[in-house]
Amino acid sequence: MVHGQGGVKFQNWAKTYGSSPELYFQPTSVEEIREILDMARKQDKRVKVVGGGHSPSDIACTDDFMIQMGKMNRVLKVDKEKQQVTVEGGIFLSDLNVELSKHGLALANLGAVSEVAAAGMIGTGTHNTGIKHGILPTQVIALTLLTASGEILECSESINADIFQAARLHLGCLGIVLTVTFQCVPQFHLHEVAFPSTLTEVLDHLEDHLKRSQYFRFLWFPHSENVSVIYQDPTNKPPSSSSSWLWDYAVGYYLLEFLLWISTFVPSLVCWINRFFFWLLFSSRVENIAISYKIFNYECRFKQHVQDWAIPIEKTKEALLELKAALENNPKMVAHYPVEVRFARGDEIWLSPCFQRDSCYVNIIMYRPYGKNVPHLNYWLTYEGIMKKHGGRPHWAKAHSCTRKDFEKMYPAFPKFCSVREKLDPTGIFLNTYLEKVFY
Ligand SMILES: Cc1cc2nc3c(=O)[nH]c(=O)nc-3n(C[C@H](O)[C@H](O)[C@H](O)COP(=O)(O)OP(=O)(O)OC[C@H]3O[C@@H](n4cnc5c(N)ncnc54)[C@H](O)[C@@H]3O)c2cc1C
């Protein structure tokens, strides 16, 4: 019989949200998951699955039953000819990257971290950058879902096609994702070049930058014009890296955390901190070549609050200039660096922030130096106002203030998603507080 542990405290990576599940399970088989679902039904409990616990919101929280899928993490099938891999939903991408590389394969795109589960990262629509590339769930070509009734559904473009378009970005509310099949590409190396620029230059030549580099993104240092442009492109050149740069980077971040902590007492320091660190770490050209996942992933050193909305790509300049003006007009509102600006191709996934439109993601951040909370409400509301005005849709993993009414306006396919959810989970066993705000 499956054993649930009491007294476990769950906290997300940033330690910004947590919960105290009554029972915490780490099942090793589908039969055990079915037992947990039976037990939950009998005791009138809800169930939440957690992957890597990286979502910077309460989307994975529950005080009822929590299922951690870390023991269902096998690679089930590698089809080298079709370049496809089928994995259990609990596998971390960090393990998958290594496994794929043994077969000469790779995922075409990855987010900043790989300590996330395959089913977890698609659950919230994780994205990276590159206007030729969709959000990460666009790499999913099939999945299997264990529904509230205990039935297993195979889903793909050709089988249960509607459920597939819903489940590729499932919010953890359609059932338990048991397996995921990814379309991969041949393993590749990336050449990363980072160089300084200005906000005006990048916004005025956005089209050129998007054409020049396959995985183009930029970091804007708020309270200034400074920008670090980052190009990443496939290369046949051998790996190389600048170790002194890595050293500067590590030392720089210890100093940054200390200075940000000081700035919690003197907020006006933030604009100087942003400028100083741009000068220290980002004002010269840096190059690096490595296997793709080592370039896609980067160190997110300390805990943070984040927001990340996707706006139609043609609104990029207007929205960023409004954010810049709002900061200039309100000196008491401080913004930590960077504002990270990334791009993604439009897709057909019902709840994708890029649904049917090429998009620009604008990620804002407020660090929590030594775990200290930093006031950010004003900045958050100003940012949300600008994003909403430009037709933005929030990242599902990241805390936002939207409710069902907003999502109905934002997502043409929202009613279709709701009806699939209601059909698959009529009693709402997979809901939690976060999801109630989305669906009620
Ligand atoms: C340091 C850091 C860097 C990040 N970088 C990026 C980035 O570059 N781009 C980006 O878009 N996002 C980024 N994120 C956000 C992150 O990618 C998402 O939060 C992602 O969903 C995390 O995956 P996870 O496995 O930790 O999911 P969790 O947070 O554990 O869960 C996410 C959702 O999936 C559900 N779920 C998990 N497993 C299953 C399953 N087997 N069946 C059904 N439901 C399941 C959960 O219930 C929940 O609803 C970052 C977060 C952090 C902390």
Side-chain angles (χ1 to χ4, degrees):
M1 198 176 139
V2 64
H3 172 71
Q5 206 183 331
V8 171
K9 296 250 181 272
F10 166 73
Q11 277 209 308
N12 68 349
W13 178 87
K15 296 195 166 41
T16 43
Y17 291 87
S19 62
S20 304
E22 188 177 317
L23 288 176
Y24 180 85
F25 298 90
Q26 288 192 295
T28 55
S29 66
V30 175
E31 289 65 40
E32 286 187 1
I33 302 179
R34 284 205 176 103
E35 263 185 65
I36 300 165
L37 290 179
D38 280 347
M39 207 188 301
R41 260 190 304 273
K42 282 182 194 137
Q43 296 181 29
D44 200 18
K45 300 289 178 197
R46 284 173 166 182
V47 176
K48 193 92 309 256
V49 186
V50 66
H54 267 55
S55 294
S57 68
D58 54 347
I59 192 167
C61 291
T62 184
D63 287 333
D64 285 0
F65 289 179
M66 179 172 277
I67 299 181
Q68 206 282 331
M69 296 287 282
K71 291 187 176 165
M72 295 179 72
N73 66 347
R74 288 172 303 159
V75 175
L76 299 175
K77 187 176 167 197
V78 180
D79 184 331
K80 278 182 95 165
E81 208 167 300
K82 291 186 180 157
Q83 301 175 351
Q84 294 169 355
V85 62
T86 302
V87 295
E88 288 186 306
I91 194 170
F92 274 27
L93 296 189
S94 46
D95 295 328
L96 178 58
N97 294 334
V98 175
E99 281 305 310
L100 284 177
S101 139
K102 289 181 193 162
H103 296 278
L105 296 173
L107 291 176
N109 209 353
L110 285 171
V113 287
S114 283
E115 281 68 43
V116 293
M121 72 85 179
I122 68 167
T124 64
T126 301
H127 68 94
N128 181 29
T129 193
I131 198 56
K132 287 192 186 146
H133 296 271
I135 61 170
L136 272 49
T138 58
Q139 299 174 73
V140 174
I141 54 162
L143 52 82
T144 55
L145 199 60
L146 178 70
T147 66
S149 66
E151 188 188 359
I152 294 180
L153 295 179
E154 307 278 340
C155 309
S156 68
E157 295 271 6
S158 53
I159 310 166
N160 291 313
D162 266 13
I163 299 178
F164 179 62
Q165 289 309 357
R168 280 207 286 175
L169 200 166
H170 54 76
L171 303 181
C173 68
L174 302 179
I176 294 171
V177 176
L178 297 176
T179 72
V180 182
T181 303
F182 291 101
Q183 180 62 53
C184 304
V185 295
Q187 181 180 326
F188 60 108
H189 282 67
L190 280 174
H191 181 190
E192 177 178 72
V193 183
F195 59 93
S197 186
T198 62
L199 189 60
T200 308
E201 187 282 324
V202 176
L203 293 178
D204 284 350
H205 300 99
L206 203 53
E207 285 288 321
D208 289 346
H209 285 291
L210 285 162
K211 277 187 202 139
R212 242 179 260 155
S213 170
Q214 199 179 131
Y215 301 96
F216 156 67
R217 73 177 197 275
F218 69 91
L219 312 178
W220 169 45
F221 290 64
H223 309 292
S224 82
E225 262 282 306
N226 296 329
V227 155
S228 172
V229 173
I230 299 163
Y231 286 174
Q232 294 173 342
D233 289 282
T235 181
N236 293 324
K237 289 183 196 157
S240 68
S241 74
S242 154
S243 54
S244 65
W245 177 73
L246 286 175
W247 169 248
D248 287 353
Y249 218 66
V251 172
Y253 273 94
Y254 285 114
L255 183 60
L256 173 62
E257 186 161 27
F258 176 67
L259 291 177
L260 287 177
W261 180 77
I262 302 264
S263 77
T264 60
F265 305 99
V266 193
S268 58
L269 281 180
V270 168
C271 76
W272 298 109
I273 293 174
N274 290 359
R275 282 158 204 251
F276 174 67
F277 278 90
F278 177 78
W279 169 79
L280 185 69
L281 298 175
F282 298 91
S283 58
S284 53
R285 186 182 169 95
V286 176
E287 297 196 35
N288 200 8
I289 298 177
I291 193 160
S292 57
Y293 61 85
K294 292 194 178 164
I295 295 280
F296 284 137
N297 290 165
Y298 47 89
E299 194 79 46
C300 300
R301 285 179 186 271
F302 37 79
K303 311 299 184 190
Q304 50 200 247
H305 295 284
V306 281
Q307 282 236 50
D308 190 14
W309 287 48
I311 50 175
I313 196 162
E314 57 277 12
K315 301 285 184 182
T316 307
K317 183 172 177 178
E318 228 176 313
L320 279 164
L321 290 180
E322 272 179 45
L323 187 60
K324 184 167 186 265
L327 288 166
E328 279 163 5
N329 295 335
N330 188 351
K332 285 199 174 149
M333 190 163 72
V334 296
H336 291 166
Y337 86 81
V339 171
E340 184 175 21
V341 184
R342 291 183 277 183
F343 302 89
R345 196 191 60 211
D347 61 48
E348 291 298 325
I349 300 174
W350 291 352
L351 291 193
S352 165
C354 303
F355 182 73
Q356 294 185 342
R357 64 189 203 197
D358 290 348
S359 301
C360 163
Y361 279 91
V362 180
N363 188 92
I364 61 166
I365 192 164
M366 286 299 278
Y367 293 111
R368 305 176 57 230
Y370 309 116
K372 185 171 177 182
N373 266 330
V374 174
H376 57 278
L377 188 63
N378 209 1
Y379 180 29
W380 254 223
L381 292 177
T382 304
Y383 163 88
E384 278 202 353
I386 296 170
M387 294 296 118
K388 263 192 186 165
K389 179 178 151 197
H390 292 290
R393 298 166 176 158
H395 192 310
W396 292 102
K398 307 186 181 180
H400 53 75
S401 65
C402 299
T403 60
R404 180 177 177 124
K405 270 196 178 141
D406 298 301
F407 295 122
E408 279 170 348
K409 279 190 222 138
M410 291 169 182
Y411 287 98
F414 192 73
K416 288 207 276 186
F417 187 95
C418 291
S419 72
V420 166
R421 188 196 74 75
E422 283 156 24
K423 203 166 128 206
L424 296 182
D425 183 19
T427 63
I429 198 170
F430 296 118
L431 291 181
N432 62 2
T433 310
Y434 174 104
L435 293 168
E436 275 168 2
K437 276 188 256 161
V438 174
F439 294 114
Y440 294 104

